[in-house]
Amino acid sequence: MKDLELDINQIPSGVEEECVEKEFGGLPRKKLRLTKEQSHVLEQSFKQYHILNPKQKEGLADQLKLKPRQVEVWFQNRRARSKLKQTEMEYKNLKKWFGSLNEQNRKLKKEVEELRGRKAGPPQQLPAATLTMCPRCQHVTNTFLDKGPAARKH
DNA sequence: GATGTCAAAAAGATTG
DNA sequence: CAATCTTTTTGACATC
C-alpha cells in the first residue's frame, strides 16, 4: 500500500534540464521549471544564507547550470515568500492570543459580577485570577499560583 | 533588495 | 475515466 512516491522528474518527454539558452526569434519562450535536484540545492543554500554574495551566486549558478540572474531571482522570490508565510503565522498567533485574552476577560467580568452580587451578602473573598500570557510562546502564567522563586523567564 | 504583479504550469476539485 | 474548471505554486520582471 505504498505505491506512488512521486516519480521523480520527467513527466511526458523529458521537459526538464536546460530548456533555456534557446531563445529563437525571442518569442515563445516557455517557462522553465527547476528540477527536484535544482530546487533542493537552492533550498539548502537558502537555509544557510538568505542572501548571497556575488561569489556564491556565481557558484550556484554554474553548479546548477542556471544563469546567475535566475539564481538571483529565485532567492528574491524565496525571501519574499518566506517572509509572507512568517507573517501569516504571526497573524494566526496574534489572533489566537487575542481570542484567549478575550475569554479571560469574559471570565473576569463574570467573576466581578459575582463578587458584586455578594457585596451585600456574606463577606467572603476569592482570589482573583491574574493571568498573563506571552504572545510569542503562548505560555500562560498565573501570578497567584505561580509566583514562587521559579519565576523563570522565556 | 523588497514588494507587487503577471502568467505558465502543476495540483486539486468537479462534473458528465 | 477523462475532459474541464478552480486553485495553488512559482519563475520572471518592473518599480521603487
Side-chain angles (χ1 to χ4, degrees), chain A residues 36-46 60 63-64:
Chain A
K36 290 274 179 183
E37 195 56 25
Q38 289 173 315
S39 25
H40 179 256
V41 174
L42 287 169
E43 207 61 55
Q44 289 304 97
S45 304
F46 184 74
L60 274 176
Q63 176 191 335
L64 300 173

Side-chain angles (χ1 to χ4, degrees), chain A residues 12 19 27 29 36 39 46 51 55 63 71 74 77 82 85 100 112-113 122 127-128 140 146-147:
Chain A
C19 56
L27 283 181
R29 65 169 182 285
K36 290 274 179 183
S39 25
F46 184 74
I51 293 180
K55 191 76 176 178
Q63 176 191 335
V71 174
W74 190 91
N77 285 323
S82 147
K85 281 178 187 171
S100 62
V112 167
E113 209 171 308
V140 181
D146 191 41
K147 65 177 177 182

Side-chain angles (χ1 to χ4, degrees), chain A residues 46-77:
Chain A
F46 184 74
K47 269 187 184 174
Q48 308 180 3
Y49 322 89
H50 287 194
I51 293 180
L52 298 176
N53 58 45
K55 191 76 176 178
Q56 307 174 296
K57 189 200 301 181
E58 202 77 31
L60 274 176
D62 74 6
Q63 176 191 335
L64 300 173
K65 293 180 158 49
L66 293 172
K67 290 187 281 189
R69 169 64 180 164
Q70 291 177 295
V71 174
E72 181 183 313
V73 168
W74 190 91
F75 269 75
Q76 273 178 334
N77 285 323

